[in-house]
Amino acid sequence: MALTAAAIKNAKGRTKPYKLTDSDGLFLYVTPNGGRYWRMNYRHMGKQKTLAFGVYPDTGLADAREQRDAARKVLAKGNDPAEKIKMDRIAATVAASNSFKAVADEWLVKVEREGRSTVTMKKLRWLLAFINASLGKRPVTAITAQEVLTMLRKMEGKGRYETAKRLRSTCSQIFRYAIATARAERDVAADLRGALIAPQPVHRAAITSADNAGGLLRAIEAFEGFANTKAALQLLPHVFVRPGELRHAEWSDFDCQSACKRDPLSARKRDPLSGWRSVDVTGFLALRAA
């Protein structure tokens, strides 16, 4: 006779464990302390075996019957449902280790070892934090282009189109790394080329005439602020590096005998034949002597 919800609810613990049978091998195992566990007896290759389906009331009667029916379908194909459950758990564990976040973390270590700057690494970590909030727990092979686009639309909704573009590029690099390490077959982020709103360039104010450039240089020469600030201002028009690169320059970047300064970018590329620019380093030498 099939079990009913009322019979299960009213099942109480006895001196010894006992079973309340349902059908097709499914039964409820009741312990002396009142615990109720779903089990299923079956035979495979001539051996008696038992499957566990959960604990009542977390697993209800309908759920237990659904799991029993799924197990019987596996048996009908000549396979052992217990082995299938085991393999499914292993597959889930492998998928978790191949999550987008796991692959992204590996890629992050790789690019850091390649010598990316501290500022670049900080920016990449910020981008990945945003990506992982949506995709981090997903198996990298299961992520679709639509999922990536949905994540990017969140950033576009804030009007940050350039950041959305960088997010897509970062996703693409991680998918390509997953392909290279045999954990993905294709870069789904590549399918989104042209799907994002193209950021409009913002033109900054610039000096475009010789007269105005001369005026700027004269203003720098007349600057009466800190000596190191003036020296940096005098040097900047000669080397055209970013302010941060100039501020963090080291004395080893300067060849004072030849009045040259090494371009930090060329130095990072380890190109010994290029990257030196002629420059008047008199102000820097005076600053160093002081």
Side-chain angles (χ1 to χ4, degrees):
M1 181 177 178
L3 279 173
T4 63
I8 297 169
K9 185 176 181 180
N10 294 327
K12 305 298 181 182
R14 300 175 184 173
T15 305
K16 295 182 179 181
Y18 65 96
K19 302 176 183 178
L20 295 177
T21 59
D22 186 55
S23 59
D24 295 325
L26 179 66
F27 64 91
L28 187 70
Y29 183 80
V30 185
T31 64
N33 62 2
R36 288 161 288 184
Y37 303 87
W38 291 109
R39 300 286 187 266
M40 173 185 169
N41 286 331
Y42 69 99
R43 297 187 69 83
H44 182 260
M45 303 292 291
K47 294 182 178 180
Q48 180 76 20
K49 295 187 176 184
T50 302
L51 280 178
F53 290 151
V55 182
Y56 181 87
D58 295 336
T59 301
L61 177 59
D63 291 335
R65 286 173 174 172
E66 184 178 344
Q67 293 184 64
R68 175 203 60 194
D69 294 342
R72 286 176 59 80
K73 288 180 181 179
V74 174
L75 277 170
K77 295 179 181 179
N79 299 319
D80 186 348
E83 288 298 318
K84 183 179 183 305
I85 291 174
K86 180 180 178 181
M87 295 306 297
D88 288 345
R89 288 174 179 170
I90 293 174
T93 301
V94 172
S97 66
N98 290 340
S99 67
F100 183 91
K101 185 179 184 305
V103 177
D105 288 344
E106 283 187 27
W107 174 81
L108 202 61
V109 171
K110 169 185 172 293
V111 297
E112 188 171 21
R113 289 177 177 174
E114 290 173 345
R116 301 290 180 91
S117 68
T118 302
V119 174
T120 298
M121 294 306 301
K122 182 179 180 180
K123 185 178 297 183
L124 286 175
R125 289 189 177 93
W126 181 86
L127 292 171
L128 286 175
F130 183 84
I131 298 170
N132 286 331
S134 298
L135 306 176
K137 296 181 180 180
R138 296 276 288 132
V140 69
T141 56
I143 297 174
T144 65
Q146 289 72 26
E147 286 181 272
V148 179
L149 182 60
T150 299
M151 179 269 297
L152 296 176
R153 291 288 191 226
K154 294 178 182 178
M155 188 59 71
E156 280 192 333
K158 301 176 182 179
R160 303 174 70 174
Y161 306 129
E162 182 63 35
T163 301
K165 181 181 176 182
R166 292 181 181 180
L167 286 169
R168 191 206 67 80
S169 176
T170 302
C171 284
S172 186
Q173 293 180 70
I174 294 168
F175 280 120
R176 292 200 301 271
Y177 178 76
I179 294 170
T181 54
R183 285 176 286 184
E185 296 182 356
R186 58 188 302 271
D187 172 15
V188 296
D191 297 339
L192 301 178
R193 291 192 182 97
L196 299 178
I197 298 173
Q200 296 299 315
V202 178
H203 299 289
R204 308 294 182 182
I207 293 176
T208 58
S209 68
D211 290 342
N212 289 336
L216 174 62
L217 295 177
R218 287 191 294 273
I220 291 174
E221 290 299 323
F223 181 75
E224 297 180 352
F226 291 109
N228 55 353
T229 303
K230 182 174 182 178
L233 290 172
Q234 290 173 324
L235 183 60
L236 195 58
H238 294 279
V239 294
F240 291 99
V241 295
R242 294 181 177 181
E245 292 177 330
L246 186 59
R247 287 191 300 108
H248 294 287
E250 300 178 358
W251 283 113
S252 59
D253 294 329
F254 295 89
D255 182 352
C256 297
Q257 292 181 347
S258 303
C260 291
K261 180 187 180 299
R262 184 186 295 275
D263 185 340
L265 180 59
S266 298
R268 283 198 296 271
K269 292 181 178 179
R270 298 183 177 85
D271 183 355
L273 301 179
S274 66
W276 289 96
R277 302 182 185 183
S278 297
V279 56
D280 180 6
V281 293
T282 305
F284 264 63
L285 291 174
L287 183 63
R288 186 181 188 184

